[in-house]
Amino acid sequence: MKILLTGAAGFIGAHVAEKLLMEGNEVIGIDCVNAYYDPSLKFARLSRLGISSESEQWSKPILSDKWPLFTFIRMDISDKEAMKAIFEEGKFDVVVHLAAQPGVRYSITHPQSYIENNINGFLNILEGCRKTNIKHLVFASSSSVYGLNGQIPFSEKHSIAHPVSLYAATKKSNELMAHAYSYIFRIPITGLRFFTVYGPWGRPDMSPFLFIDGIMNGKTIKVFNNGDMLRDFTYIDDITESIARIVKVIPTSNNNWDSMAADPSCSSAPYKIYNVGNQQPTKLLDYISAIEEIIGKKAIKEMHPMQPGDVYQTYADSSALAQATGFRPSVSLRDGIKKTVEWFKAYYNL
């Protein structure tokens, strides 16, 4: 297939690019490589994919010197004209849309970035898919959409009516926008709700990276809600495998869908939503203890109250994903942390 991959320099995107290329697909990767966190990490991910330092130039297609079927273009999904052009020229079979402005807490202080990237940018993706008859759009949603939902484990059939951060609200909006386009224009669209992704090459603003960095370097780590939180940590290889498989599972209209007892995970449109999580929620203090054990060093903890926009618990029901793909995230927390710590030491020469 010929695949447009947005967010190709990102944590998940760079791993997905490699996986799709290993399967023999042609991949056009785009990313604006913004400064939300250190761009050098993003360029390092691109370097692993065989993309030279020329990737710093805007709008210039750069061929990988490692993967003959990989091309990278630095561009912004919120640039309407640039996105229109790449869709018209690309003639893609599939779009894997991972680019977004991430971060729950950042959305409190920088709301405009979320509207520009997650709403306007996503609209450009949908318009591109509509006008070029894309066979399948797969996009990243988030477990954050569950918000105040108290039912556990979180199921795609549950309500997402009460998000508690603007980030979550934009991801919920993406799901609603996607359904509207799928219904009106019959575009096959799949949304994936990721649960606390971690692993090598991870984002430095996320707790797994912050905790490893803090413990390794003897810095204080902030522990919110005094450690009384649970997260369904999902290793990056499980996320990557899930995406690669779901690309091939093109949704169709559910002819048995009942509007009087509506299942929000699907509809009479060719539209589907899946959770992608490990199904093993871990207490935050237990997670820190596991990192301490693997590193062989105690954390210096600084306890804080729950932060605005945070939720107490995430816990995925990934049975629908398993039924659709034959795959369920399963990398153990200990194995995942061990591989992440090994990468961290190697990358930072520790």
Side-chain angles (χ1 to χ4, degrees):
M1 293 181 287
K2 187 176 185 182
I3 300 174
L4 174 64
L5 172 66
T6 73
F11 170 34
I12 298 175
H15 283 86
V16 170
E18 186 172 42
K19 176 68 175 178
L20 295 175
L21 290 163
M22 288 174 65
E23 293 183 346
N25 299 292
E26 180 182 357
V27 178
I28 310 300
I30 65 173
D31 200 299
C32 69
V33 196
N34 66 20
Y36 169 64
Y37 60 84
D38 186 3
S40 67
L41 179 59
K42 301 178 183 182
F43 286 121
R45 294 184 189 126
L46 290 172
S47 179
R48 287 185 68 245
L49 293 168
I51 300 298
S52 70
S53 59
E54 289 182 328
S55 59
E56 296 183 23
Q57 298 183 37
W58 285 84
S59 305
K60 178 181 179 181
I62 303 167
L63 295 175
S64 168
D65 58 21
K66 179 179 179 181
W67 297 98
L69 293 177
F70 183 52
T71 302
F72 176 77
I73 308 171
R74 188 176 185 183
M75 59 185 298
D76 193 329
I77 60 167
S78 65
D79 185 333
K80 180 181 176 180
E81 293 306 315
M83 293 304 297
K84 180 181 177 181
I86 196 169
F87 270 98
E88 289 176 349
E89 296 166 8
K91 295 180 173 57
F92 305 109
D93 299 305
V94 171
V95 175
V96 178
H97 176 53
L98 303 177
Q101 175 59 61
V104 167
R105 296 180 191 121
Y106 193 75
S107 69
I108 297 171
T109 56
H110 297 77
Q112 196 64 42
S113 179
Y114 292 77
I115 302 304
E116 291 171 358
N117 292 286
N118 299 4
I119 302 299
N120 296 340
F122 190 56
L123 178 60
N124 292 335
I125 296 293
L126 290 171
E127 278 290 282
C129 291
R130 173 177 77 86
K131 293 176 180 178
T132 57
N133 298 312
I134 293 296
K135 296 175 184 176
H136 192 191
L137 165 61
V138 178
F139 73 95
S141 187
S142 166
S143 62
S144 297
V145 299
Y146 286 105
L148 295 179
N149 171 55
Q151 299 171 271
I152 54 170
F154 293 165
S155 166
E156 300 92 341
K157 299 179 187 300
H158 291 169
S159 169
I160 57 168
H162 301 97
V164 295
S165 69
L166 181 63
Y167 168 68
T170 62
K171 287 299 184 179
K172 176 183 176 180
S173 298
N174 287 171
E175 295 185 8
L176 298 174
M177 293 164 70
H179 182 267
Y181 267 70
S182 179
Y183 183 81
I184 296 171
F185 304 112
R186 313 313 292 177
I187 306 168
I189 303 180
T190 301
L192 301 176
R193 294 173 180 167
F194 299 138
F195 282 69
T196 315
V197 188
Y198 75 103
W201 299 95
R203 279 180 20 218
D205 63 313
M206 294 185 69
S207 62
F209 192 109
L210 291 168
F211 291 161
I212 293 171
D213 179 38
I215 295 169
M216 288 285 295
N217 294 299
K219 297 186 289 188
T220 300
I221 63 170
K222 293 181 179 180
V223 182
F224 295 107
N225 204 38
N226 298 307
D228 184 22
M229 299 170 73
L230 295 97
R231 289 290 180 270
D232 197 343
F233 294 101
T234 311
Y235 189 63
I236 184 60
D237 288 1
D238 283 338
I239 296 288
T240 302
E241 183 67 26
S242 298
I243 294 171
R245 291 194 182 209
I246 212 69
V247 160
K248 305 178 188 74
V249 182
I250 300 176
T252 57
S253 302
N254 183 348
N255 295 325
N256 297 318
W257 190 77
D258 182 359
S259 62
M260 300 302 293
D263 176 356
S265 72
C266 62
S267 86
S268 56
Y271 170 87
K272 197 74 175 75
I273 295 290
Y274 295 101
N275 288 334
V276 186
N278 193 258
Q279 303 189 120
Q280 298 288 331
T282 301
K283 292 180 179 179
L284 190 57
L285 290 179
D286 290 343
Y287 182 70
I288 294 170
S289 295
I291 298 174
E292 290 175 325
E293 182 182 342
I294 288 167
I295 293 175
K297 191 175 180 181
K298 285 291 184 181
I300 305 169
K301 304 184 192 74
E302 184 177 278
M303 298 299 181
H304 290 264
M306 181 82 85
Q307 294 295 287
D310 272 354
V311 296
Y312 173 69
Q313 178 175 206
T314 63
Y315 180 2
D317 175 353
S318 295
S319 57
L321 175 76
Q323 184 175 2
T325 65
F327 177 78
R328 190 191 302 263
S330 61
V331 174
S332 71
L333 186 66
R334 182 173 180 81
D335 287 347
I337 293 172
K338 186 173 183 295
K339 292 175 182 176
T340 308
V341 169
E342 289 171 351
W343 166 80
F344 190 93
K345 288 180 177 179
Y347 184 74
Y348 288 102
N349 296 313
L350 297 174

